[in-house]
Amino acid sequence: WVGMTDEEIKRAEETYNIRFTDSHKLFLKILHTIDKKQIVSEYDSKGNEKQIEKSLFFNWNTDQEKIKEYLKWPSNILLKGVLNDTIWLDSWGEKPISDTEKEVTFFKWFEELPKLVPLNSHRFAISQPISSENPILSIQSISWINSLGDF
């Protein structure tokens, strides 16, 4: 295991404009990442499998592109639901017809939410308030959720 220093944690918070909870900081100091990769299967949009090397946990010091991608993951997943009419909150008012207006409404709402800090895969910590009580969210693609059918 490779831990992070207080300086590295502060730099990551500043770089990505996020805040780690105190318990997450403690985790990062001790169990930040591992020094080897795992081999996992990934599938492209056509269902073709490929083997890739992947870290079990993000390395906040070196995985900048992957972290930036995952910081966008929640809004990208939710926006897809908004645009394909599977997500619309009553508090947003009447649903517009144009995708552009839907996007504007969605991002106005989303930007007001606490940042979601990627942990691993599709799991995220809520960054505000700074509390060890914050839940961990699992954010899956809408198509995956829809494939579950009725419970």
Side-chain angles (χ1 to χ4, degrees):
W1 285 96
V2 178
M4 289 178 80
T5 65
D6 287 328
E7 242 178 53
E8 289 171 323
I9 291 171
K10 184 178 179 183
R11 185 172 47 245
E13 288 180 321
E14 290 170 354
T15 298
Y16 301 106
N17 192 27
I18 57 170
R19 295 293 169 258
F20 297 114
T21 63
D22 291 340
S23 57
H24 195 170
K25 287 179 185 179
L26 181 59
F27 175 83
L28 292 172
K29 288 179 185 181
I30 300 167
L31 304 172
H32 168 223
T33 192
I34 56 176
D35 62 358
K36 64 180 180 177
K37 307 271 186 189
Q38 62 181 343
I39 305 295
V40 296
S41 295
E42 275 197 358
Y43 297 88
D44 64 21
S45 60
K46 296 179 182 175
N48 299 317
E49 181 181 16
K50 64 178 180 176
Q51 302 290 312
I52 61 162
E53 283 189 334
K54 184 176 179 182
S55 295
L56 182 58
F57 293 98
F58 296 109
N59 184 327
W60 288 90
N61 295 323
T62 62
D63 293 340
Q64 288 88 0
E65 292 308 311
K66 189 56 101 176
I67 290 168
K68 287 176 185 176
E69 176 185 329
Y70 273 86
L71 284 167
K72 294 177 185 176
W73 173 289
S75 65
N76 290 344
I77 293 299
L78 293 172
L79 180 59
K80 285 179 186 176
V82 168
L83 296 178
N84 71 21
D85 293 326
T86 57
I87 297 174
W88 191 262
L89 301 181
D90 291 339
S91 63
W92 296 345
E94 189 174 331
K95 188 187 321 181
I97 294 172
S98 83
D99 284 350
T100 302
E101 290 178 75
K102 289 177 188 176
E103 281 186 48
V104 168
T105 301
F106 169 76
F107 280 113
K108 182 178 177 186
W109 169 80
F110 192 83
E111 292 301 318
E112 297 296 320
L113 298 177
K115 294 262 184 168
L116 298 177
V117 179
L119 299 174
N120 179 294
S121 184
H122 54 84
R123 291 162 198 91
F124 296 80
I126 297 174
S127 65
Q128 298 290 331
I130 302 295
S131 166
S132 60
E133 307 280 321
N134 290 5
I136 304 300
L137 303 178
S138 174
I139 302 178
Q140 296 283 345
S141 79
I142 298 302
S143 61
W144 181 84
I145 292 170
N146 288 341
S147 73
L148 295 175
D150 294 330
F151 289 89

